[in-house]
């Protein structure tokens, strides 16, 4: 055995042993991202001869974390570039769901760099969609739009109405974020039409909620209220308490804009009670911001009344 061969063999044994050690340690770690993250970095630094073994350990841990439905195996995913792209994309989705958006972006870019060598159109769409979502959460809206339009083009080629509906919803969300409601309305109304055809009430309620927010900033308050009322009914009938509470919060925003401050406040407080029980921190923060805004408006109204009546109003 030559010295170079001996070194290669020792290195291979070292990587294999390290994978076994980390895998055994990861079994005893809480599923907080540390185990998956450590194994992914071993895979990233593995030599070509060790990459399949390293990838399989990561796939197994992702399955344990419920980040993928099936236990995947590197050797069964086609060419190495396609297998690598699949793993990077799963890690991008995993980081995204853990709200580590910068890490999601890094893994997603690794996947995207391989797309020229990937034949699976669905995988290409998934990679671009996850990238778009990460950019969106980081408020890099121009890049989010570029990636999403590329995914949308692929999904239209695939003819998958479910993927197209999701794309349209995210496009609408981007235009909502950049305060271009008319463009957003164009996309979300197409998504609503698709969901009515598909018969998916959960997704339809989400699309209606997005439409309501767009109508609201476009000054169409009556349409915004009608739309969010339909969304609320769908979630309430479906027993989706947390989603129904989010719709109540959105309805409260419309009522606030319409000047119905007491009704808005009562509705948002009802929503807040459910959201606190569900520990939905983002939506809880939104509700508190809404209540603060309503309180300021009511205080200004009360100040105006005091000036007119010449005596202070009683406090609650």
């Amino acid at each position: 055995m030559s010295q170079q061969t001996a070194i290669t063999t020792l290195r291979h044994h070292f990587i294999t042993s390290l994978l076994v050690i980390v895998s055994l340690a990861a079994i005893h770690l809480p599923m907080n991202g540390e185990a998956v993250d450590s194994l992914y970095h071993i895979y990233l630094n593995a030599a070509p001869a060790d990459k399949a073994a390293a990838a399989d350990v990561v796939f197994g841990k992702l399955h344990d974390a419920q980040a993928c439905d099936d236990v995947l195996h590197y050797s069964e995913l086609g060419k190495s570039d396609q297998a690598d792209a699949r793993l990077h994309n799963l890690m991008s989705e995993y980081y995204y769901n853990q709200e580590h958006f910068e890490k999601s972006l890094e893994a997603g870019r690794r996947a995207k760099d391989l797309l020229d060598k990937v034949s699976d159109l669905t995988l290409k769409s998934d990679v671009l969609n996850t990238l778009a979502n990460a950019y969106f959460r980081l408020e890099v809206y121009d890049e989010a739009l570029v990636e999403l339009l590329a995914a949308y083009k692929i999904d239209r080629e695939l003819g998958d109405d479910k993927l197209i509906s999701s794309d349209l919803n995210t496009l609408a969300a981007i235009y909502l974020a950049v305060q271009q409601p008319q463009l957003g309305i164009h996309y979300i109304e197409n998504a609503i039409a698709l969901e009515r055809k598909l018969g998916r009430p959960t997704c339809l309620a989400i699309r209606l909620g997005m439409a309501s927010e767009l109508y609201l900033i476009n000054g169409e308050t009556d349409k915004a209220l009608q739309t969010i009322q339909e969304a609320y009914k769908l979630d309430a009938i479906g027993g989706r308490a947390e989603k129904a509470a989010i719709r109540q919060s959105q309805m409260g925003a419309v009522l606030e804009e319409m000047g119905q401050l007491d009704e808005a406040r009562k509705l948002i407080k009802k929503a807040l009670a459910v959201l606190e029980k569900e520990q939905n921190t983002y939506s809880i923060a939104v509700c508190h911001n809404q209540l603060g805004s309503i309180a300021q408006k009511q205080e200004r109204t009360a100040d105006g009344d005091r000036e007119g009546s010449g005596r202070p109003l009683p406090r609650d």
Side-chain angles (χ1 to χ4, degrees):
M1 181 183 293
S2 68
Q3 184 178 9
Q4 184 61 42
T5 303
I7 291 172
T8 301
T9 302
L10 284 171
R11 179 190 52 73
H12 178 75
H13 287 321
F14 172 75
I15 291 290
T16 303
S17 300
L18 184 60
L19 282 168
V20 171
I21 292 167
V22 175
S23 299
L24 289 171
I27 291 170
H28 303 288
L29 287 174
M31 195 52 65
N32 58 7
E34 292 179 19
V36 179
D37 199 47
S38 297
L39 292 167
Y40 181 53
H41 279 88
I42 291 175
Y43 156 80
L44 290 176
N45 293 301
D50 305 309
K51 185 166 281 190
D56 283 347
V57 175
V58 180
F59 281 135
K61 189 53 64 176
L62 285 170
H63 179 260
D64 293 343
Q66 299 182 330
C68 54
D69 295 332
D70 302 312
V71 179
L72 302 176
H73 297 284
Y74 190 87
S75 62
E76 298 173 1
L77 295 174
K79 294 180 180 179
S80 61
D81 290 321
Q82 185 151 303
D84 289 332
R86 178 67 60 85
L87 180 52
H88 291 313
N89 183 56
L90 283 173
M91 285 303 305
S92 182
E93 291 176 353
Y94 175 80
Y95 286 135
Y96 181 87
N97 290 329
Q98 297 288 315
E99 298 191 355
H100 299 314
F101 302 121
E102 291 284 0
K103 287 186 175 181
S104 176
L105 206 58
E106 289 175 11
R109 284 170 174 161
R110 292 187 188 106
K112 185 183 177 183
D113 288 343
L114 297 169
L115 290 189
D116 287 343
K117 303 172 184 177
V118 169
S119 59
D120 186 337
L121 288 179
T122 301
L123 176 56
K124 287 185 176 184
S125 169
D126 287 346
V127 169
L128 295 168
N129 256 292
T130 309
L131 263 178
N133 286 325
Y135 277 122
F136 179 81
R137 293 300 293 268
L138 292 167
E139 300 183 4
V140 187
Y141 300 123
D142 53 345
E143 293 292 340
L145 189 58
V146 168
E147 304 298 354
L148 193 59
L149 287 172
Y152 179 50
K153 181 180 178 182
I154 292 171
D155 292 338
R156 290 181 68 182
E157 286 180 39
L158 289 169
D160 190 321
D161 284 346
K162 293 178 182 178
L163 293 177
I164 291 169
S165 174
S166 178
D167 295 338
L168 293 169
N169 188 71
T170 309
L171 283 166
I174 292 171
Y175 285 116
L176 175 66
V178 298
Q179 299 287 300
Q180 294 185 38
Q182 291 181 349
L183 284 171
I185 288 168
H186 166 73
Y187 287 115
I188 202 61
E189 287 183 343
N190 285 332
I192 289 169
L194 278 177
E195 289 302 337
R196 292 194 191 283
K197 184 176 77 171
L198 290 167
R200 300 191 301 173
T202 303
C203 293
L204 176 57
I206 293 169
R207 308 296 183 257
L208 291 166
M210 177 64 67
S212 178
E213 293 190 31
L214 285 159
Y215 292 139
L216 182 59
I217 68 168
N218 201 45
E220 301 176 72
T221 50
D222 289 340
K223 200 167 185 178
L225 183 60
Q226 180 184 358
T227 304
I228 199 58
Q229 285 172 337
E230 182 184 354
Y232 171 72
K233 286 178 184 177
L234 286 169
D235 282 328
I237 291 169
R240 296 179 290 276
E242 184 176 2
K243 296 293 186 184
I246 292 170
R247 306 300 161 232
Q248 286 180 313
S249 171
Q250 291 173 310
M251 200 183 306
V254 179
L255 293 173
E256 179 186 352
E257 185 65 24
M258 297 175 81
Q260 300 179 33
L261 301 182
D262 286 335
E263 292 83 352
R265 180 172 56 83
K266 290 174 185 176
L267 199 59
I268 293 166
K269 282 189 171 182
K270 284 182 182 178
L272 191 55
V274 176
L275 295 167
E276 286 175 342
K277 183 179 177 181
E278 298 291 338
Q279 298 183 330
N280 186 326
T281 54
Y282 175 78
S283 295
I284 289 169
V286 170
C287 285
H288 282 299
N289 285 336
Q290 289 177 289
L291 290 172
S293 173
I294 291 168
Q296 287 181 342
K297 290 177 180 177
Q298 288 180 319
E299 187 175 338
R300 287 196 295 270
T301 301
D303 286 342
D305 288 342
R306 282 195 288 272
E307 289 175 7
S309 65
R311 65 173 186 264
L313 295 175
R315 293 184 179 272
D316 291 337

